[in-house]
């Protein structure tokens, strides 16, 4: 078994070294447009979540094929309520405009390049978290921390499939999306 693992690792690394590798779209400036199914859920252990709509646009500045910075603007509109009759009214809502910046780190795998994004931003809108453990409602501008996991697809990695999350600590909830995106150059 150990020899099999060793041979697999040798073949994997030799394939990476001798093939041209594009981790993400090449160095330069791009616009990325994403659309998907919006979600919201509380940070506590409640069994409630919401769904809705998500859209986002990013200005992509790639320093090289592995690392890039992505200022973004977007919107998430998602809500949900408890369907159980014996429970008190449980609901969650996140209707917000998003603004911020993320850094993307992409693995060098051709055609299917996994990536992770992390950053900081602000959300302007209305938020409600009413669960067994939390009872919060806020309107206005809140700080959020964006976190995204995804795959850059295609030969030039112009398409991506991602799960984006925006953690709102002040209302004990996160919102986000399962989204599809497309990047095109600015030139």
């Amino acid at each position: 078994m150990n020899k099999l693992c060793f041979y697999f690792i040798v073949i994997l690394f030799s394939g990476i070294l001798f093939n041209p590798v594009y981790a993400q779209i090449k160095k330069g400036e791009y616009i990325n447009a994403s659309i998907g199914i919006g979600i919201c859920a509380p940070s506590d252990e409640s069994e409630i979540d919401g769904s809705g709509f998500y859209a986002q646009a990013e200005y992509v500045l790639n320093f090289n094929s592995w690392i890039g910075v992505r200022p973004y603007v977007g919107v998430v509109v998602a809500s949900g309520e408890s369907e159980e009759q014996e429970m008190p009214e449980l609901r969650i809502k996140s209707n917000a405009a998003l603004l911020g910046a993320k850094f993307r780190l992409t693995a060098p795998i051709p055609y299917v390049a996994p990536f992770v994004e992390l950053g900081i931003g602000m959300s302007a809108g209305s938020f409600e978290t009413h669960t067994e453990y939390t009872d919060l409602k806020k309107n206005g501008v809140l700080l959020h921390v964006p976190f995204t996991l995804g795959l850059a697809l295609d030969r030039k990695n112009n398409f991506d499939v991602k799960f984006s999350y925006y953690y709102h600590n002040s209302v004990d909830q996160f919102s986000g999306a399962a989204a599809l995106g497309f990047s095109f150059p600015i030139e």
Side-chain angles (χ1 to χ4, degrees), residues 33-111:
S34 300
I35 191 165
I37 299 170
I39 59 169
C40 62
S43 300
D44 58 29
E45 298 177 8
S46 298
E47 296 291 328
I48 187 171
D49 59 6
S51 61
F53 174 75
Y54 169 85
Q56 179 176 282
E58 299 173 338
Y59 170 74
V60 180
L61 179 59
N62 288 333
F63 300 119
N64 58 36
S65 64
W66 292 47
I67 298 172
V69 66
R70 296 170 166 257
Y72 62 89
V73 62
V75 64
V76 62
V77 178
S79 63
E81 293 184 359
S82 174
E83 296 178 6
E84 297 180 20
Q85 297 297 333
E86 65 271 358
M87 297 294 286
E89 186 175 333
L90 305 179
R91 67 182 179 276
I92 188 148
K93 179 177 86 168
S94 180
N95 296 339
L98 309 167
L99 179 68
K102 305 181 276 190
F103 287 97
R104 179 185 275 195
L105 179 62
T106 307
I109 301 173
Y111 292 98

Side-chain angles (χ1 to χ4, degrees), residues 103-138:
F103 287 97
R104 179 185 275 195
L105 179 62
T106 307
I109 301 173
Y111 292 98
V112 181
F115 63 83
V116 62
E117 297 173 346
L118 187 63
I120 191 159
M122 64 180 184
S123 302
S126 63
F127 306 87
E128 290 184 32
T129 308
H130 299 287
T131 68
E132 303 95 340
Y133 312 104
T134 307
D135 190 22
L136 294 169
K137 179 178 181 178
K138 290 192 178 183

